[in-house]
Amino acid sequence: MAEELAKVFRAHDNSNRETAIESLYEVDKHQFPDVDATAIKLASEAFVDALWEKDRIEFQHLRNGSVDHDGLREADYSPVIQKLRQRATIIDADQKYAIKKTEAWKQHKLGGDYWTPFQQSQVYELRAALNDPDYPHKPRAGQSGPGPEAMRYALAFELHDMHTERHWLQGVRVMTPYFLKILAHHDDGGD
């Protein structure tokens, strides 16, 4: 699953929409085993379509090879939110998932704090995957944090941004426990 997720983002980098959808479908069918295959395909397509909408918006705000930060800050990201809301509906995630993921992507391009909303969006996706509205569960301190899995996702995204084979492999290793938690939960309800 971690390798397939890496393929999603590498396919996105290479503008290969179909490969991105196929790879995310391979991830999603294991993350959300109670959702039928047709719906999972739609959820995967919605996420990838959101990425493509994000790119379309960003390309509209390129000026001589640089991002027009003021223009992008004011850009209408509603098509991205709409696609992510479709995904959230299908996987039964809180609709805030769409808002936080879009905010993260926008801040990522603007050079702002993208990791906080990115981790928050993953908490909503994890809650859906684990069918646990109270995730994360922490014994004592750090109750306000997003949990280790959401932090792993953000770290894997950061590693992907390095665009080297070594960093992509590190991202796969970082995400393996993320998916192991989900699979263990589906297998026996444990961690």
Side-chain angles (χ1 to χ4, degrees):
M1 290 171 71
E3 289 174 0
E4 290 296 331
L5 183 64
K7 286 180 189 175
V8 172
F9 293 107
R10 290 180 88 171
H12 170 248
D13 290 345
N14 295 320
S15 300
N16 190 332
R17 182 179 175 275
E18 291 309 311
T19 298
I21 291 169
E22 289 168 16
S23 294
L24 189 55
Y25 173 79
E26 291 302 316
V27 174
D28 282 346
K29 72 181 184 182
H30 297 291
Q31 286 195 105
F32 309 104
D34 295 335
V35 180
D36 74 73
T38 302
I40 287 296
K41 181 79 168 180
L42 292 173
S44 301
E45 287 175 357
F47 183 89
V48 171
D49 288 347
L51 280 172
W52 259 250
E53 284 293 331
K54 173 193 76 71
D55 289 351
R56 183 187 60 76
I57 293 164
E58 290 170 0
F59 290 142
Q60 289 175 345
H61 293 88
L62 281 178
R63 304 291 180 264
N64 300 318
S66 297
V67 175
D68 170 12
H69 286 93
D70 292 334
L72 192 59
R73 202 171 281 111
E74 300 302 318
D76 177 13
Y77 273 75
S78 60
V80 177
I81 294 170
Q82 178 189 14
K83 293 295 181 184
L84 291 172
R85 282 188 172 172
Q86 288 173 0
R87 177 176 174 79
T89 298
I90 294 166
I91 64 173
D92 199 25
D94 190 304
Q95 291 290 309
K96 289 181 227 165
Y97 162 82
I99 303 297
K100 292 298 180 181
K101 181 74 76 182
T102 302
E103 179 185 341
W105 286 348
K106 185 175 183 178
Q107 287 303 315
H108 182 253
K109 191 53 74 175
L110 290 171
D113 170 9
Y114 74 87
W115 49 92
T116 301
F118 200 76
Q119 290 173 67
Q120 292 167 334
S121 72
Q122 283 316 117
V123 167
Y124 295 120
E125 186 166 300
L126 282 158
R127 286 176 177 171
L130 299 170
N131 195 22
D132 181 357
D134 297 322
Y135 171 88
H137 301 281
K138 296 185 187 177
R140 290 187 298 276
Q143 292 295 318
S144 63
E149 287 75 27
M151 293 187 93
R152 285 179 177 282
Y153 198 102
L155 175 57
F157 188 82
E158 189 75 10
L159 288 164
H160 171 80
D161 260 356
M162 300 304 292
H163 295 282
T164 71
E165 192 66 32
R166 180 172 59 89
H167 287 98
W168 283 319
L169 291 172
Q170 288 177 27
V172 169
R173 286 193 298 269
V174 163
M175 284 302 291
T176 298
Y178 176 103
F179 290 119
L180 286 174
K181 178 176 180 65
I182 292 170
L183 293 174
H185 174 79
H186 294 321
D187 287 346
D188 61 15
D191 286 327

